[in-house]
Amino acid sequence: MLACVRRLRGVPAVLAVALACACAGVAFADDASTVHPDAWPRATWPFPKDAALEQRVSALMAKMTVEEKVGQLVQADILSVTPDDVRKYRLGGILAGGNSKPGGKVTATVDQWKATSEAFYRAAMDTSGGHQAIPLLFGIDAVHGHNNVVGATLFPQNSALGNAHDPELIREIGEATAAEVRATGINWSFAPTLAVPQDVRWGRSYEGYSQDPAIVAQYATAMVEGLQGKVGTPQFLDGSHVLASAKHFVGDGGTKNGKDQGDAQISEATLRDIHAAGYPPAIDAGVQTIMASFSSWNGTKMSGNKALITDVLKQRMDFQGLVVGDWNSHGQVPGCSNDDCPASYNAGLDVLMAPDSWRGLYEHTLAEVKSGVIPMTRLDDAVARILRVKFRAGLFESGAPSTQSIVQHASEVIGSPAHRAVARRAVRESLVLLKNNGGLLPLDPRKHILVAGESADNISRQSGGWTLNWQGTGLKNENFPGAQSIGAGIAEQVKAAGGSAEIDADGHFTQKPDVAVVVFGEDPYAEFQGDIPNLMFRPGDDHDLELLRHLHAQGIPVVAVFLSGRVLWMNREINAADAFVAAWLPGSEGGGVADVLLRKRDGSIANDFHGKLAYAWPSSAVEGQGKPQFALGYGLTYSDRVSLPKLSEVSGISGEQVPVGNYLDRGKAVHGYTFTLVDAQGAAMAGDVSPATTPDGSLHMVALDYKAQEDARRFTWQSNKAQLSIRARTPLDLDRETNGDVLLVTTLRVNALPTQDVWVGMGCGANCQGHVALGKALSKVAPGQWTRIGVSLKCFRAAGADMHHIEQPFAWGAGSGTDIAISRVALGTDVDQAVDCPH
């Protein structure tokens, strides 16, 4: 309670009392799931009654058939719907999900995005057959810039921006993001996220600005007004702004153990005062759409919670915009499926996001309206809300995307110098200095500087998830035209000042540096992939720590630049560095880091540290244990002369820590797993030493270079019965990942494939296995070309594997003469080719 109350300093008194009650777990409910709307705050819908608008809505609805009305309630993904489908079913909205691109390729161009928007717009406005012309809502997750589009400005992720404590900056980011989104013909951004994460083990924590509801509430207004424009001004929803969507209502940041799509087992007071803090100010700012959460509150799914969606949000808070579901979130409501859920509509959702299930949803919803399961009054209320939003947004007047000035000048808008300047400023303001012993920073750019670490020259890693694809993985620097890595930004400024710089991920150098800047951190992730069991950084993998210690042991001063979407237990790494900077996930403008770390050429300070922690930094790897190592609001500046003593290196976690989603990396088994070659007779031998040949000569292995020295293994089969096998020391429960559409991804190169007798499998015991044939998929891979082949975990389950008890997360068999190289085996979502499950 006291630790929580300490966070309330500076919060208005009335809110502070409510927050204190929430911290204490005080409930104002009769039971865990009872809602008391009168105890919730009111908001002010900023639009006066508009008789002209209501007349337009009524007149249009009077002409619409029931079929057209139902179509307005359904949103489909561009990978599962065509313009002809929109023309036939009169759908009201489409979206481009995290992995959905025009043509299905992550490298889709701006022109391809514009062409897609144009085609869908014209389909919706086609009046042949007597249909009404109603423009589409086209939504996209533009959560840190227009992050799905190649060449767009990528702003720091939200967990970084919270440290800036700068609402005006947030407003400018919203304005720039809106312009870039609108330039591709898209009119709806699924942002801002107003989660208030209380357990950063949650894989979406980086989408939350802060654990402090006061910061989130302040930023809610700024981002909504940035995206939409300010209500009452000519800029409101003009041709350079987009519809905003406050999300995810409500409690997504409060689930037990930080589980994505989990259950927020908290009091109504906590739900209201902590997790709903951003919604009244968003409504006051005129937000037009609000997205319901996947998560539950005390066992009730939000997408079916009428008391919260209708009684609280729509009535108590007077939200008059539309409520949309998340990606098939309605399918998790009891009694529902992805293609049939009257309960969600009746709970108050106006639009259901049915990316790949839209057709069935449309047909079932139409039947349920006609039968009365969904009352006609509920249908008409939802349609009216949708149409009001479309009219307010000017979609009936704006015309086809190709006729809009901002779309015509897209090349001047997307990734513009002005937008990149805002992003670079955001990087500078969000950096937090945790340690600067001996006043090592700022660095003299006239010296010789080594930039090391695997994130030193990696724009993907500094951008994180929701970057060009859902998880933000499998990308190269060339996928980010106009962007700059942190290492490149440092090298550029050092060279300009007369110094010299070397960039080497492994810390090698040709000349001993005066100082080393080591850039390292988390791998990109989003939902499912990002959930973690504790606050350990890369459990079982200490290569970043070893690099810091190795450089320090050579007498080289070390600056650690840590990239992460959340706070983690980093005491060992902080001890190993002379200075430690939390750089979060800064996005495309890596030069912003150099702006702060380096002095000017004349020795003066160029830019001081500005960031103050928006999340308390843990002193233990056990979530919620002990006093924070660095409190909320902590952050040093160059004027501070603080010498940080050595921190405790006791994590609080006992037992071996084994990663659950990475099995083979750089050609070697990951800590906690055993890699073996199994010969035709069933005898196994260790696969950790290369070269190796099984005793009967049926399988041979040698090391080879892929991206680095000996970071892959080449296997040749002399018998059809030989196998590769990776076993876990303790069984894995992958059921949740299976339900989340995660894949087993193998990074490989096919050298020879004389037969198609190739399979990949997972084992769950002596007589429990699931095998999936790969021959057809591998036959499409050009010989000598590295690629990523993905098999859905659902395929292994369908083939007989018990996903609750996986002892062998990877097995591979092939026919005689097969020659294949493998570098990595891991769970993931980003692949070059996905294998269809056998029927």
Side-chain angles (χ1 to χ4, degrees), residues 248-253 255 259-264 292-297 300-303 332:
H248 307 84
F249 189 86
V250 61
D252 49 347
T255 61
K259 290 294 184 182
D260 189 57
Q261 302 182 18
D263 190 14
S293 180
F294 258 113
S295 60
S296 305
W297 176 57
T300 301
K301 281 290 177 182
M302 281 306 309
S303 289
Q332 296 185 6

Side-chain angles (χ1 to χ4, degrees), residues 431-437 440-441 518 520-521 537 545 548 558-564 568-584 597 609 617 630 634-636 644 647:
L431 300 176
V432 179
L433 181 61
L434 299 181
K435 179 181 180 180
N436 192 24
N437 285 10
L440 177 59
L441 292 173
V518 181
F520 68 103
F537 170 60
L545 176 63
L548 293 168
V558 175
V559 178
V561 176
F562 181 53
L563 302 181
S564 70
L568 293 170
W569 182 74
M570 300 297 296
N571 285 16
R572 297 182 303 164
E573 290 80 4
I574 293 172
N575 286 340
D578 299 288
F580 193 96
V581 177
W584 316 101
L597 264 57
F609 278 90
W617 200 281
F630 303 105
Y634 179 88
L636 301 174
L644 186 70
L647 306 178

Side-chain angles (χ1 to χ4, degrees), residues 243-539:
L243 296 163
S245 186
K247 66 181 188 183
H248 307 84
F249 189 86
V250 61
D252 49 347
T255 61
K256 184 178 180 180
N257 297 325
K259 290 294 184 182
D260 189 57
Q261 302 182 18
D263 190 14
Q265 299 176 12
I266 54 181
S267 70
E268 184 182 13
T270 301
L271 183 71
R272 180 193 64 213
D273 300 327
I274 300 292
H275 299 283
Y279 290 93
I283 294 169
D284 291 347
V287 69
Q288 292 295 293
T289 78
I290 290 178
M291 185 181 294
S293 180
F294 258 113
S295 60
S296 305
W297 176 57
N298 289 327
T300 301
K301 281 290 177 182
M302 281 306 309
S303 289
N305 196 320
K306 184 176 181 180
L308 287 170
I309 297 295
T310 296
D311 299 347
V312 169
L313 181 60
K314 289 185 170 182
Q315 295 179 2
R316 179 67 177 180
M317 294 186 182
D318 195 29
F319 175 63
Q320 297 181 33
L322 71 84
V323 178
V324 61
D326 206 338
W327 184 281
N328 278 331
S329 63
H330 56 276
Q332 296 185 6
V333 174
C336 291
S337 63
N338 288 353
D339 63 2
D340 186 11
C341 194
S344 282
Y345 287 122
N346 287 337
L349 272 69
D350 303 301
V351 177
L352 296 191
M353 191 184 293
D356 53 358
S357 56
W358 64 267
R359 196 186 311 266
L361 181 67
Y362 171 88
E363 292 169 348
H364 282 111
T365 303
L366 179 60
E368 286 150 358
V369 167
K370 290 182 175 180
S371 70
V373 172
I374 299 174
M376 189 62 70
T377 53
R378 174 76 272 269
L379 173 68
D380 285 346
D381 174 59
V383 174
R385 286 172 175 270
I386 295 165
L387 294 180
R388 289 187 194 104
V389 167
K390 291 182 176 183
F391 279 122
R392 282 193 203 100
L395 300 185
F396 286 84
E397 294 77 34
S398 59
S402 61
T403 68
Q404 298 170 21
S405 176
I406 196 166
V407 176
Q408 295 169 350
H409 295 86
S411 62
E412 302 168 25
V413 176
I414 296 173
S416 72
H419 294 169
R420 292 188 183 279
V422 174
R424 188 160 176 158
R425 171 185 154 207
V427 175
R428 292 195 296 267
E429 290 194 21
S430 61
L431 300 176
V432 179
L433 181 61
L434 299 181
K435 179 181 180 180
N436 192 24
N437 285 10
L440 177 59
L441 292 173
L443 303 176
D444 185 344
R446 298 168 298 176
K447 301 290 187 178
H448 181 59
I449 298 176
L450 170 67
V451 188
E454 60 186 350
S455 300
D457 191 32
N458 193 310
I459 298 168
S460 172
R461 293 178 65 85
Q462 70 190 42
S463 299
W466 287 105
T467 300
L468 298 187
N469 60 51
W470 178 33
Q471 296 288 329
T473 57
L475 303 168
K476 301 177 181 178
N477 281 1
E478 51 262 38
N479 297 132
F480 300 92
Q484 186 178 51
S485 70
I486 293 172
I490 292 173
E492 178 182 70
Q493 292 192 35
V494 167
K495 182 179 180 180
S500 57
E502 294 183 66
I503 302 176
D504 187 275
D506 297 322
H508 300 139
F509 49 81
T510 57
Q511 174 188 343
K512 186 175 181 180
D514 295 303
V515 64
V517 178
V518 181
V519 189
F520 68 103
E522 292 186 289
D523 295 320
Y525 56 82
E527 301 96 305
F528 289 107
Q529 296 287 79
D531 286 3
I532 54 176
N534 54 55
L535 302 184
M536 295 284 287
F537 170 60
R538 285 188 169 170

Side-chain angles (χ1 to χ4, degrees), residues 663 727-738 762-770 796-797 800-810:
Y663 311 125
R727 289 191 172 275
R729 294 183 188 173
T730 57
L732 308 173
D733 185 349
L734 300 181
D735 187 70
R736 186 166 174 274
E737 288 81 357
T738 303
M762 284 190 165
C764 39
N767 299 307
C768 177
Q769 291 185 330
F796 299 112
R797 181 164 64 187
D802 178 1
M803 305 309 291
H804 287 288
H805 188 89
I806 296 297
E807 299 177 0
Q808 185 185 30
F810 178 78

Side-chain angles (χ1 to χ4, degrees), residues 75 137-143 158 177-178 187-195 204 207 209 219-220 223-228 237 241-249 252 278-279 282-283 285-293 313 319 321-327 351 353 389:
Q75 186 176 35
L137 295 175
F138 189 168
I140 196 165
D141 287 279
V143 294
N158 288 352
T177 299
N187 52 39
W188 187 9
S189 172
F190 298 142
T193 298
L194 300 182
R204 301 190 77 165
E207 296 186 49
Y209 295 114
Y219 276 18
M223 183 55 81
V224 168
E225 291 186 346
L227 289 169
Q228 295 189 164
L237 289 176
H241 289 85
V242 295
L243 296 163
S245 186
K247 66 181 188 183
H248 307 84
F249 189 86
D252 49 347
Y279 290 93
I283 294 169
V287 69
Q288 292 295 293
T289 78
I290 290 178
M291 185 181 294
S293 180
L313 181 60
F319 175 63
L322 71 84
V323 178
V324 61
D326 206 338
W327 184 281
V351 177
M353 191 184 293
V389 167

